[in-house]
Amino acid sequence: MRSARRVGEVAARNHLPDLLMRRRLTALLLACLALPLPAAADAVTVFAAASLKEALDRVSADWEAESGHDVTVSYAGSSALARQIARGAPADLLLSASPEWMDLLEAEGLLVPGTRRDLLGNRLVLIAPAPAAPVPLGPDLDLPALLGPDGRLAMALVDAVPAGQYGKAALLSLGLWEEVAPRVAQVDNVRAALALVALGEAPLGIVYATDAAAEPAVAVVAEFPPESHPPIVYPVARIAGGAANPAADAFLAHLAGDAAQEAFRAHGFAPLPG
């Protein structure tokens, strides 16, 4: 009996290294399976102005289906996106609603030389909750009266976000800014200003024509004269500093192609000649 027990102990000791090795390999395999998969090398990350959402979502989806590459788009105000890129946020492309923020990044050497181009144009409009009658936009317009005793004029940040900057410039040009400035509700981006009007939280707002077209709960009551503000231009460029990404280069070229330009036009943007 003792002899048999000793034989069993010896056999167990002989199999112990194999057992431990199998357990270690199993643990290693499970640990590897738990690790997140690396991002695809041919994925494209785009930072884009909030006003581009519907149009760029369509353009991106069409290109994904055609090319097989993934496109991830982060939407926000152009100023916020430019600051994120300046702080090192990983982006392949920036599509801004203002040349000013692209100029700042270019001055810092954060754009790939030769990739910047003016892609799109837009228009600036005054909106109200739908339905609403047109108003005579001009120096004689009594904006405070239209806002009512407690109403606010919804605008993107007037000193930072392009839609707010264009809107302030237009109101200054028409001589309407000083009287309405205390009644302005400033928000982070143009889509937030659109939402305030769409929800009835503000009786009037200043947004792009493309934003108004995307929201059935608002009506355009006036369009600002193009000469009342700087031209609304959307530049696009490749961001420097990251690894080479041929898919990002291909998507940049696609944005200027006929199919993408037609999609932008269908959403109310004005494609610009390259």
Side-chain angles (χ1 to χ4, degrees):
M1 180 67 67
R2 290 179 181 176
S3 176
R5 187 162 48 244
R6 282 197 297 272
V7 170
E9 291 172 352
V10 170
R13 283 197 299 270
N14 288 340
H15 287 288
L16 184 59
D18 290 340
L19 180 61
L20 291 175
M21 181 62 72
R22 285 197 296 272
R23 288 178 177 174
R24 288 169 183 163
L25 288 173
T26 300
L28 180 60
L29 178 60
L30 291 174
C32 290
L33 290 174
L35 291 174
L37 293 174
D42 56 359
V44 181
T45 300
V46 181
F47 281 13
S51 53
L52 289 160
K53 180 166 176 40
E54 287 79 12
L56 191 55
D57 280 352
R58 174 182 164 184
V59 170
S60 299
D62 289 346
W63 189 75
E64 284 179 330
E66 175 187 323
S67 69
H69 300 300
D70 293 329
V71 179
T72 300
V73 186
S74 294
Y75 295 102
S78 298
S79 56
L81 296 173
R83 291 189 184 103
Q84 290 174 30
I85 290 171
R87 292 169 184 158
D92 295 306
L93 298 174
L94 172 63
L95 225 173
S96 170
S98 168
E100 176 185 353
W101 291 103
M102 197 72 85
D103 291 344
L104 293 174
L105 293 178
E106 189 167 30
E108 294 296 322
L110 296 176
L111 305 184
V112 175
T115 63
R116 176 177 175 175
R117 60 163 290 161
D118 291 338
L119 189 69
L120 303 167
N122 212 332
R123 294 169 290 126
L124 197 68
V125 296
L126 184 68
I127 60 170
V135 301
L137 185 58
D140 297 328
L141 179 64
D142 190 348
L143 264 180
L146 289 178
L147 293 172
D150 301 313
R152 299 277 179 168
L153 175 65
M155 295 179 65
L157 296 169
V158 300
D159 292 323
V161 177
Q165 293 172 314
Y166 293 129
K168 180 179 178 179
L171 292 173
L172 282 168
S173 174
L174 296 172
L176 302 175
W177 173 252
E178 294 301 328
E179 62 179 0
V180 80
R183 308 283 300 277
V184 172
Q186 297 189 52
V187 288
D188 287 342
N189 58 66
V190 70
R191 284 306 173 95
L194 179 72
L196 284 180
V197 180
L199 294 171
E201 299 294 329
L204 293 172
I206 297 178
V207 300
Y208 298 122
T210 51
D211 297 307
E215 177 51 76
V218 306
V220 174
V221 297
E223 182 173 332
F224 287 91
E227 64 273 12
S228 68
H229 55 80
I232 300 173
V233 175
Y234 291 72
V236 63
R238 283 277 278 116
I239 303 303
N245 188 344
D249 298 330
F251 186 61
L252 176 61
H254 177 76
L255 291 174
D258 291 342
Q261 293 286 286
E262 184 55 38
F264 285 125
R265 188 179 289 107
H267 283 82
F269 292 93
L272 300 177

